[in-house]
Amino acid sequence: MPLPLYLLALAVFAMGTSEFMLAGLLPDIASDFDVTVGTAGVLTSAFAIGMIVGAPLVAALARNWPRRPVLLGFVLVFAAAHVLGAVTTSFPILFATRVVAAITNAGFLAVALTAAAGLVSPDRKGRALAVLLSGTTVATIAGVPGGSVLGTALGWRATFWAVAVLCLPASLGILKGIPAGRGEDEATGRPALRAELAQLARPRLILVMLLGALVNAATFGSLTFLAPVVTDSAGLGELWVSVALVLFGAGSLVGVTVAGRLSDRSPGPVVAVGGPLLLIGWPALAMLANEPIALFTLVFVQGALSFALGSTLITRVLYEAAGAPTMAGSYATAALNVGAAVGPAVAAATLGTEAGVLGPLWASGLLVAVAMLIAFPLLTVVTAGRSTEVLR
């Protein structure tokens, strides 16, 4: 894999850490700004919504700009938003910085997904995507738990400063690793924006975007509320929450790495085998959550299966949107983040039911079941063929 892919993954790591780090910081933020934890929680929703809206919007605006300055600009604005967030004493301003950070994150990821696919041959897009998404999975392994520890030791503002600092080597990497000029496709012309948006009318593209969103919703629905499962159901101390997060992140890294080698040539087996196993795993985790060994084992396994299946489906989005070379990454980003926004909302609605803290796990099983009911009758459609076009 080309070195620029790993430099892009470094930026994705910083942004992934920011996206997920608030889970462990909300109580301190609420106390600092004298608001309720529920009010502080809107910061998470703001980020997810900013990602959904920002991905296609910013990708459309930046589609004719050279990639290096665009990617660099996104990273620098993202860093500046975290610096402002770290120093502000106004909750509305902090909220605004989260929206700006989300939009720049979405824009970066949308352009980076397309750039990553353009750095490799047409039949290696899945592996390129796996390298890029490894930044997110490493964020769940190291960045989020590390941010939680840093926030506990030095305050939540220190975590915002740390994310801003992480953007500096990522910026240098983009300057050194991404070509300065326009790509070959930019020299020879691209489809009009209207033609690229028209790709969204293709049933196969909508299908894989829907499936990717459902699987991702299941993933983030349970991940968001994993802490009370560890502390309440398993009866473990708060320190074990970080252990569970690290195991989930380690599993996700394994899953996205393995799937990256299979999703280009053999996506069918990933969906046909991984889907049912993921479906079984969520209710199994709910039923065995009071057994620590089973809990931690299944957390690792579910992390691996979730990201293996999810990244494979997102790779299919890139293939199906090959006719939209500048917008395909934004379609994949939107699908990911629709799931990231909807999943926690669905999971939260179950907390007040008889299922209690285990409700999100059952909800995740239901979301995967819906995905499989849609996918299996159409499995050959979901996994058919590989595009011969290179996304640029």
Side-chain angles (χ1 to χ4, degrees):
M1 290 286 105
L3 176 61
L5 275 178
Y6 296 94
L7 302 175
L8 293 175
L10 177 60
V12 173
F13 167 74
M15 294 178 176
T17 298
S18 175
E19 182 175 3
F20 307 133
M21 70 184 182
L22 289 191
L25 304 177
L26 287 182
D28 289 342
I29 292 174
S31 176
D32 199 0
F33 287 96
D34 195 24
V35 299
T36 66
V37 174
T39 299
V42 302
L43 297 172
T44 300
S45 300
F47 201 97
I49 293 170
M51 290 283 286
I52 295 168
V53 174
L57 177 62
V58 178
L61 291 174
R63 66 192 298 269
N64 292 319
W65 301 345
R67 286 185 184 140
R68 187 164 79 178
V70 168
L71 292 170
L72 181 61
F74 285 146
V75 172
L76 293 178
V77 173
F78 184 84
H82 283 76
V83 170
L84 181 56
V87 301
T88 187
T89 57
S90 167
F91 186 79
I93 291 178
L94 179 62
F95 180 90
T97 66
R98 295 306 288 168
V99 174
V100 171
I103 292 173
T104 53
N105 185 358
F108 178 89
L109 189 56
V111 176
L113 281 168
T114 305
L119 289 171
V120 297
S121 59
D123 61 346
R124 303 186 79 194
K125 293 175 189 174
R127 292 190 66 180
L129 179 63
V131 170
L132 194 65
L133 290 183
S134 68
T136 299
T137 59
V138 172
T140 64
I141 297 171
V144 176
S148 179
V149 171
L150 184 62
T152 300
L154 300 177
W156 66 268
R157 295 177 188 273
T159 305
F160 275 64
W161 281 110
V163 170
V165 170
L166 276 175
C167 291
L168 299 180
S171 300
L172 181 61
I174 291 169
L175 279 173
K176 297 294 185 181
I178 302 299
R182 294 174 177 266
E184 181 181 344
D185 62 308
E186 294 169 294
T188 58
R190 291 170 167 155
L193 178 60
R194 180 179 298 179
E196 295 203 39
L197 293 176
Q199 294 292 309
L200 289 171
R202 298 181 64 245
R204 281 174 38 155
L205 175 57
I206 294 299
L207 174 63
V208 291
M209 288 178 67
L210 173 62
L211 295 175
L214 285 168
V215 171
N216 207 47
T219 302
F220 285 95
S222 285
L223 181 61
T224 300
F225 298 101
L226 186 58
V229 174
V230 174
T231 56
D232 295 356
S233 293
L236 300 174
E238 292 186 0
L239 177 63
W240 290 98
V241 174
S242 295
V243 175
L245 290 173
V246 169
L247 285 172
F248 188 92
S252 67
L253 181 59
V254 171
V256 79
T257 301
V258 173
R261 298 179 179 276
L262 298 175
S263 58
D264 289 313
R265 293 180 172 83
S266 305
V270 177
V271 177
V273 176
L277 290 176
L278 183 63
L279 173 58
I280 294 170
W282 288 125
L285 183 54
M287 290 185 289
L288 297 172
N290 61 337
E291 299 290 341
I293 294 177
L295 170 66
F296 289 128
T297 300
L298 284 169
V299 162
F300 176 86
V301 171
Q302 290 302 96
L305 291 171
S306 294
F307 273 78
L309 184 59
S311 65
T312 296
L313 291 169
I314 295 303
T315 299
R316 302 316 300 169
V317 174
L318 295 179
Y319 278 124
E320 294 298 337
T326 67
M327 297 296 293
S330 71
Y331 301 158
T333 302
L336 279 168
N337 286 282
V338 165
V342 171
V346 172
T350 68
L351 293 174
T353 67
E354 293 183 2
V357 297
L358 298 178
L361 302 177
W362 291 106
S364 292
L366 180 60
L367 288 165
V368 175
V370 172
M372 292 301 98
L373 286 173
I374 296 171
F376 269 77
L378 302 170
L379 187 59
T380 56
V381 175
V382 173
T383 60
R386 300 195 304 270
S387 172
T388 56
E389 298 178 60
V390 182
L391 289 172
R392 294 288 183 183

